Amino acid sequence: MAQAQPIPINRHPYADGGKKKMLIDGQWIDATSGKTFETHNPATGELLATVAEGDKPDIDKAVAAARRAFEGPWSKFTPFERQNLLLRFADLVERHFDELSTLDTLDMGAPLSRTRGGRLRVLGMLRFYAGQATSIHGETIENSLPGEIFSYTLKEPVGVVGAIIPWNSPLTASIWKIGPALATGCTVVLKPAEEAPLTPLRLGELALEAGVPPGVINVVPGYGETAGAALAAHPDVDKVAFTGSHLTGQAIVRASAGNLKRVSLELGGKSPDIVFADADIDAAVPGAAMAVFANSGQICSAGTRLFVEQRIYDEFVSKVAEFGKGLKVGNGLDPEVQIGPLVSQEQLTRVTSYFEVGQKEGASAVVGGSRLTEGKLDKGYFVPPTVFANVRDEMRIAQEEIFGPVISAISFDDPEELAKRANATNFGLGSGVWTRDVSKAHKFAKAIRAGSVWVNCYQAMDPAVPFGGYKMSGYGRESGIQHVEEYLNVKAVWIKTA
Ligand code: NAI
Ligand code: MG
């Protein structure tokens, strides 16, 4: 693959400080109110674009367009035609991948080394969903009724989907909603995060170019409390697919009650990552470190509660700290940078406030623990990889999602107690265990209440393998055949033949 070159933002055609409209019914239009908001590069503070600010009237228009599209020619697309459309879309995304990944980097800060590295996964997802389009099938079911009566099921698209996504991985999050919708024949109103609307808008453009009919994918940028809330409450939306914080997830469930729309929630976590003394330490150190430091900790399944067996605790924690210190922090457009800025001032305030919370609670930052401001870093929202040692289970830094590059290292010596301690959280998204003992790994995999268990690895993902939460990490699954089912209704048909 070609070496990524830094791109000056003022020359970037999609982040040139210009104005972005919203996509409704295949048309690029301004907000009904005429209002706009700005999106900035969190590494430099530079203005990237001024974006049409959607609100309730725009959501109403977009939902109406999505409903018309759902009932229009789109409903006549055969599975094979939807598959071909998704494959054409995937080809376009592939052709524009450098641009899309650069937009993610510009808009939310993740380094190119990460956004470009997602290439196979993003393309794999689109092509996986393309395959799913021709794999949807109901069943014929034997029944026990007297007389000749035949029963079977039909799988039908659930309808208009409101997709509300966060800023931590805009490209992946968008495709995780658009992919299953196109595979099943649903239509979408996508509400990007206000912090990072540029990649979803560009994807909308590529979808039109691929031949997605007008109204099938609408993209309405705007704020959560206005545009997001209007979408979640809309009486003509059949399903909301949400990724974000658990607090917003709760608001969405409440808002969904009006028409009892279907909801799927991919929320946050405080995932345990467990290192036994018998682990391959050379593999576990970078594995456990990047389970948290990747994307500056802005990953829902980050393994932020690092449980280390007592007799290797000091050695292991200092090696993780050393590894963290060696990571290059800076502007993500620099291809050597491994850790970019946090996405916003709000997130910076949040993460640095947890630095104080940790100190006050009696934990000690063995590396990091305060904002970085040297040189050009003072223009962005940079914090270093941080490791807190001497953390106890009940501390806030061991219980609350920080969403920054912050490890809370906790020691354990009783393996019997371990699963109970690992499960002592409201969340249940990811989990990891590092050991050479296969029976310990199996035992943990069964005992942990979380949607993913990674053994001797962390954050492995594949379009065919389901991902999602237990407990307050949400419900529903993304990826895997389960994901497509979330976008389908089941209809039972009875035919009396006698
Ligand atoms: P958020 O959950 O408020 O935002 C996510 C999306 O929901 C955005 O598109 C936002 O505009 C929308 N939204 C906000 N309020 C809404 C409402 N009342 N109705 C409908 N949509 C609404 O997350 P935020 O404020 O960006 O980050 C706060 C914290 O949430 C982070 O520090 C982190 O702990 C957590 N978070 C978790 C994510 C995950 O992947 N699990 C992603 C983003 C944030
Ligand atoms: Mg918010």
Side-chain angles (χ1 to χ4, degrees), residues 164-168 191-195 222-225 228-229 232 242-246 248-249 251-252 266-269 299-300 346-347 350 401-403 429:
I164 303 176
I165 59 169
W167 39 262
N168 52 343
K191 209 295 282 171
E194 52 271 38
E195 294 85 353
Y223 291 96
E225 299 70 24
F242 173 70
T243 305
S245 67
H246 71 281
T248 302
I252 283 172
E266 206 272 88
L267 310 177
I299 297 182
C300 45
E346 190 183 334
Q347 289 305 113
R350 179 186 172 96
E401 184 174 52
I402 299 174
F403 232 55
L429 192 57

Side-chain angles (χ1 to χ4, degrees), residues 334-409:
D334 173 348
E336 310 231 297
V337 158
Q338 293 154 296
I339 307 291
L342 298 174
V343 72
S344 63
Q345 177 63 52
E346 190 183 334
Q347 289 305 113
L348 179 69
T349 304
R350 179 186 172 96
V351 172
T352 52
S353 79
Y354 277 104
F355 291 157
E356 281 166 37
V357 169
Q359 309 276 10
K360 279 211 192 98
E361 287 181 312
S364 49
V366 287
V367 69
S370 57
R371 183 184 179 182
L372 295 172
T373 53
E374 301 126 53
K376 285 185 183 161
L377 297 186
D378 77 331
K379 297 258 188 317
Y381 310 119
F382 292 97
V383 293
T386 296
V387 178
F388 273 110
N390 306 320
V391 177
R392 291 188 315 275
D393 296 359
E394 71 283 3
M395 290 180 177
R396 283 182 59 199
I397 58 167
Q399 289 295 328
E400 297 172 17
E401 184 174 52
I402 299 174
F403 232 55
V406 186
I407 290 178
S408 298

Side-chain angles (χ1 to χ4, degrees), residues 182-214:
L182 291 181
T184 52
C186 291
T187 58
V188 183
V189 177
L190 175 64
K191 209 295 282 171
E194 52 271 38
E195 294 85 353
L198 297 182
T199 313
L201 285 168
R202 181 66 179 124
L203 273 179
E205 213 169 358
L206 292 177
L208 288 183
E209 199 179 322
V212 174

Side-chain angles (χ1 to χ4, degrees), residues 132-446:
Q132 292 301 302
T134 49
S135 303
I136 295 166
H137 49 78
E139 296 169 304
T140 60
I141 303 171
E142 294 275 327
N143 64 68
S144 306
L145 297 186
E148 291 188 12
I149 180 161
F150 177 66
S151 48
Y152 66 95
T153 57
L154 287 173
K155 297 278 178 78
E156 296 178 339
V158 77
V160 175
V161 176
I164 303 176
I165 59 169
W167 39 262
N168 52 343
S169 227
L171 178 56
T172 301
S174 302
I175 284 174
W176 246 350
K177 314 294 185 214
I178 293 172
L182 291 181
T184 52
C186 291
T187 58
V188 183
V189 177
L190 175 64
K191 209 295 282 171
E194 52 271 38
E195 294 85 353
L198 297 182
T199 313
L201 285 168
R202 181 66 179 124
L203 273 179
E205 213 169 358
L206 292 177
L208 288 183
E209 199 179 322
V212 174
V216 172
I217 294 175
N218 307 275
V219 186
V220 183
Y223 291 96
E225 299 70 24
T226 52
L231 189 55
H234 202 290
D236 204 29
V237 168
D238 298 297
K239 167 187 164 77
V240 168
F242 173 70
T243 305
S245 67
H246 71 281
L247 292 172
T248 302
Q250 289 171 322
I252 283 172
V253 171
R254 283 191 291 271
S256 73
N259 69 338
L260 293 173
K261 59 175 65 67
R262 203 189 282 193
V263 178
S264 57
L265 302 170
E266 206 272 88
L267 310 177
K270 193 74 188 176
S271 300
D273 195 12
I274 290 163
V275 182
F276 283 100
D278 65 15
D280 173 350
I281 301 299
D282 291 342
V285 167
M290 291 314 284
V292 179
F293 300 149
N295 212 24
S296 300
Q298 302 169 127
I299 297 182
C300 45
S301 46
T304 47
R305 281 187 300 147
L306 180 62
F307 287 93
V308 184
E309 194 161 358
Q310 179 64 51
R311 67 194 152 93
I312 60 159
Y313 181 85
D314 290 338
E315 175 204 348
F316 192 82
V317 170
S318 72
K319 282 185 170 166
V320 169
E322 205 52 40
F323 183 93
K325 217 188 275 175
L327 294 169
K328 185 167 179 191
V329 181
N331 186 331
L333 289 178
D334 173 348
E336 310 231 297
V337 158
Q338 293 154 296
I339 307 291
L342 298 174
V343 72
S344 63
Q345 177 63 52
E346 190 183 334
Q347 289 305 113
L348 179 69
T349 304
R350 179 186 172 96
V351 172
T352 52
S353 79
Y354 277 104
F355 291 157
E356 281 166 37
V357 169
Q359 309 276 10
K360 279 211 192 98
E361 287 181 312
S364 49
V366 287
V367 69
S370 57
R371 183 184 179 182
L372 295 172
T373 53
E374 301 126 53
K376 285 185 183 161
L377 297 186
D378 77 331
K379 297 258 188 317
Y381 310 119
F382 292 97
V383 293
T386 296
V387 178
F388 273 110
N390 306 320
V391 177
R392 291 188 315 275
D393 296 359
E394 71 283 3
M395 290 180 177
R396 283 182 59 199
I397 58 167
Q399 289 295 328
E400 297 172 17
E401 184 174 52
I402 299 174
F403 232 55
V406 186
I407 290 178
S408 298
I410 306 168
S411 82
F412 74 92
D413 54 12
D414 180 359
E416 295 307 313
E417 281 282 289
L418 187 61
K420 207 167 147 199
R421 291 176 67 190
N423 280 329
T425 161
N426 291 330
F427 297 111
L429 192 57
S431 63
V433 56
W434 300 83
T435 176
R436 286 191 168 97
D437 181 341
V438 72
S439 63
K440 274 186 200 161
H442 268 296
K443 204 171 159 193
F444 177 77
K446 283 207 78 165

